[in-house]
């Protein structure tokens, strides 16, 4: 009888443990942006809630904080606890905060990439409308701008093509040649 009770308790504890892990993982995915891609609609402006770093931001969409991972670009790390702050990372983050401090943005999805990346963040390109930023009266295609100005590298994930890949590669080549941003400031940039 005593062994039966022990096995029942072990089963109950195992069930509780598995449930807690499932709730934690599900909660992490949704807080990272998962399950909210349906709120990112074309030609809709979204307020920027915060800038995580130069290639990740959080917008308010459908009443939810939605984390957007920007396609085709990678800025030096400043918030990854597994890595030290990288050369030109603080500058890239500061530029993102400056640009996104003016107002709402539009998010463009890429049908070639799907809605989410491996961490559950929504994938997108970010456009700052002309009326929202006096420094860019014709509007701003943020992803390409950051590469052109040397705040980011062109980033192709596992050789998977994306919509603006050719344009971003040209922008990076130009930035490297001119040694702007990280291409001039960081010694070991490849």
């Amino acid at each position: 009888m005593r062994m039966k009770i022990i096995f029942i308790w072990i089963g109950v504890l195992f069930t509780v443990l598995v449930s807690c892990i499932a709730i934690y993982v599900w909660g992490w995915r949704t807080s990272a942006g998962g399950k909210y891609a349906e709120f990112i609609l074309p030609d809709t402006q979204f307020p920027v809630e915060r800038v995580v770093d130069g290639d990740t931001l959080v917008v308010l969409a459908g009443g939810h904080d939605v984390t957007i991972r920007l396609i085709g670009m990678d800025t030096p790390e400043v918030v990854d606890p597994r890595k030290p702050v990288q050369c030109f990372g603080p500058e890239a983050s500061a530029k993102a905060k400056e640009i996104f401090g003016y107002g709402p943005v539009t998010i463009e999805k890429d049908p070639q990439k799907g809605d989410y990346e491996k961490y559950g963040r929504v994938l997108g390109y970010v456009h700052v409308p002309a009326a929202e930023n006096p420094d860019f009266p014709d509007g701003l295609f943020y992803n390409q701008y950051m590469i052109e100005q040397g705040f980011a590298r062109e980033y192709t994930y596992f050789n998977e093509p994306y919509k603006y890949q050719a344009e971003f590669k040209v922008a990076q080549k130009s930035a490297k040649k001119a040694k702007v941003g990280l291409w001039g400031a960081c010694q070991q940039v490849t």
Side-chain angles (χ1 to χ4, degrees), residues 94-107:
K95 179 54 85 173
K97 289 174 183 171
E98 175 189 329
I99 289 170
F100 295 131
Y102 285 104
V105 298
T106 60
I107 311 287

Side-chain angles (χ1 to χ4, degrees), residues 18-64:
V18 168
S19 298
C20 288
I21 291 170
I23 289 168
Y24 174 78
V25 169
W26 180 80
W28 173 80
R29 280 187 53 83
T30 58
S31 69
K35 303 187 191 262
Y36 296 130
E38 67 269 15
F39 296 116
I40 304 298
L41 303 172
D43 302 318
T44 302
Q45 293 188 357
F46 303 98
V48 175
E49 293 293 298
R50 68 186 166 89
V51 173
V52 176
D53 61 17
D55 55 36
T56 309
L57 64 128
V58 179
V59 299
L60 183 63
H64 301 279

Side-chain angles (χ1 to χ4, degrees), residues 79-90:
V79 295
D80 188 336
R82 301 166 297 170
K83 298 179 182 177
V85 172
Q86 295 177 328
C87 180
F88 222 69

Side-chain angles (χ1 to χ4, degrees), residues 34 95 159 179:
K95 179 54 85 173
N159 292 322
K179 295 186 183 207

Side-chain angles (χ1 to χ4, degrees), residues 78-158:
V78 292
V79 295
D80 188 336
R82 301 166 297 170
K83 298 179 182 177
V85 172
Q86 295 177 328
C87 180
F88 222 69
E91 292 86 348
S93 289
K95 179 54 85 173
K97 289 174 183 171
E98 175 189 329
I99 289 170
F100 295 131
Y102 285 104
V105 298
T106 60
I107 311 287
E108 176 187 356
K109 293 183 190 177
D110 189 335
Q112 295 180 53
K113 299 301 291 176
D115 286 341
Y116 302 101
E117 48 95 80
K118 68 180 180 177
Y119 298 112
R121 298 176 293 190
V122 175
L123 290 168
Y125 304 102
V126 175
H127 300 271
V128 179
E132 298 302 329
N133 190 326
D135 294 333
F136 304 101
D138 296 326
L140 174 72
F141 182 16
Y142 175 81
N143 305 53
Q144 186 167 346
Y145 173 82
M146 292 295 277
I147 296 169
E148 287 171 345
Q149 299 301 309
F151 289 104
R153 295 172 186 84
E154 184 278 332
Y155 179 65
T156 301
Y157 183 74
F158 285 109

